Amino acid sequence: PSFRGDLTDADIAAVVDFVLRHFNAVAGADQTHPIPPTAVTAARAAAPTPTDTRKLREKLKASSP
């Protein structure tokens, strides 16, 4: 998104943690095990395309109980 440069990796990690905890009920997504900003840094460096992201989401959904 156009605002990506306005958010730090720590900001993005905090938002992802919030969404996972409150909207997706992902096990293990809690304040004692937050997503580290380094994970966001690595994801940015990988620079996935929208198609790559969609494929990853489908793979994750298929492996969910």
Side-chain angles (χ1 to χ4, degrees), residues 31-47:
Q31 295 204 346
T32 60
H33 299 94
I35 293 174
T38 54
V40 176
T41 302
R44 283 190 198 236

Side-chain angles (χ1 to χ4, degrees), residues 16-50:
V16 170
D17 278 331
F18 179 84
V19 170
L20 291 176
R21 276 195 318 272
H22 295 284
F23 298 105
N24 292 342
V26 173
D30 58 39
Q31 295 204 346
T32 60
H33 299 94
I35 293 174
T38 54
V40 176
T41 302
R44 283 190 198 236
T49 66

